[in-house]
Amino acid sequence: MKRLMIYLLVGLCATLVLQACGTSSPPFRPAVEAHLAAIAARDMDALLPTLTLGEDLTMLMPDGQRFDTRQEYIDFHRQWFGMQTDGKFEVVEYSRFIESPKLSQAFLRYRYSFKDAGGEPQVMENWLTLTFALEDGAWRLVFDQNTPTPPQQ
């Protein structure tokens, strides 16, 4: 009985130490949804807290253009958010979430609808891979890849 009590006490202490060290990750999906909501709303103030605190943030655009830094990512979105357009960003399908304690990934399909320079409606659908790292207790974007979907037949 004494040995059992010692094992229980050691187990309880280990659990408390792990919790105090913050080894459990916060929920991942709400971080992804907050990031995407900020993009859909064109809200830079809401977008910034979803981004890495470091300098490296790679974004690959549907046309193959590449950005490699957090500042380039911010500059691109600041310019896009500032454009006078009726464009609409919407998630069509959450395809997959891959979660681990330090690095997690969301794979989804989105649609962007807008009018071109001639006023004609345009629709683009892309696959989107978002990779987040756990930084200072929060999930933050470190990689963003947009890949065009094949044209619908």
Side-chain angles (χ1 to χ4, degrees), residues 57-74:
L57 196 169
T58 299
M59 179 172 66
L60 301 173
M61 301 296 292
D63 65 359
Q65 186 176 7
R66 177 177 147 181
F67 299 95
D68 285 315
T69 68
R70 181 180 192 272
Q71 191 58 54
E72 289 174 329
Y73 187 94
I74 290 169

Side-chain angles (χ1 to χ4, degrees), residues 83-99:
M83 293 172 59
Q84 297 300 321
T85 179
D86 63 349
K88 181 181 177 188
F89 172 92
E90 61 184 317
V91 174
V92 175
E93 166 191 5
Y94 285 101
S95 184
R96 187 168 182 200
F97 286 89
I98 301 169
E99 299 181 47

Side-chain angles (χ1 to χ4, degrees), residues 3-152:
R3 184 174 282 176
L4 177 61
M5 292 301 288
I6 290 172
Y7 287 140
L8 290 174
L9 185 58
V10 169
L12 177 62
C13 288
T15 300
L16 292 173
V17 166
L18 289 174
Q19 288 176 348
C21 291
T23 56
S24 63
S25 301
F28 175 57
R29 186 171 176 143
V32 173
E33 290 172 345
H35 177 78
L36 295 170
I39 290 173
R42 296 175 180 238
D43 184 344
M44 187 58 72
D45 291 334
L47 182 66
L48 291 175
T50 71
L51 306 180
T52 182
L53 300 173
E55 290 300 314
D56 296 330
L57 196 169
T58 299
M59 179 172 66
L60 301 173
M61 301 296 292
D63 65 359
Q65 186 176 7
R66 177 177 147 181
F67 299 95
D68 285 315
T69 68
R70 181 180 192 272
Q71 191 58 54
E72 289 174 329
Y73 187 94
I74 290 169
D75 292 345
F76 170 84
H77 283 84
R78 185 167 279 131
Q79 180 182 6
W80 179 45
F81 291 175
M83 293 172 59
Q84 297 300 321
T85 179
D86 63 349
K88 181 181 177 188
F89 172 92
E90 61 184 317
V91 174
V92 175
E93 166 191 5
Y94 285 101
S95 184
R96 187 168 182 200
F97 286 89
I98 301 169
E99 299 181 47
S100 71
K102 301 274 184 195
L103 199 66
S104 292
Q105 194 169 61
F107 181 57
L108 56 110
R109 189 166 49 97
Y110 73 91
R111 178 179 302 124
Y112 185 67
S113 311
F114 63 100
K115 290 184 181 172
D116 65 16
E120 292 297 315
Q122 302 293 315
V123 177
M124 296 185 326
E125 284 198 8
N126 295 301
W127 289 110
L128 180 62
T129 302
L130 300 172
T131 304
F132 288 72
L134 190 60
E135 297 178 357
D136 287 345
W139 290 110
R140 299 179 193 275
L141 184 72
V142 295
F143 183 82
D144 175 327
Q145 180 172 349
N146 295 261
T147 304
T149 61
Q152 300 295 320

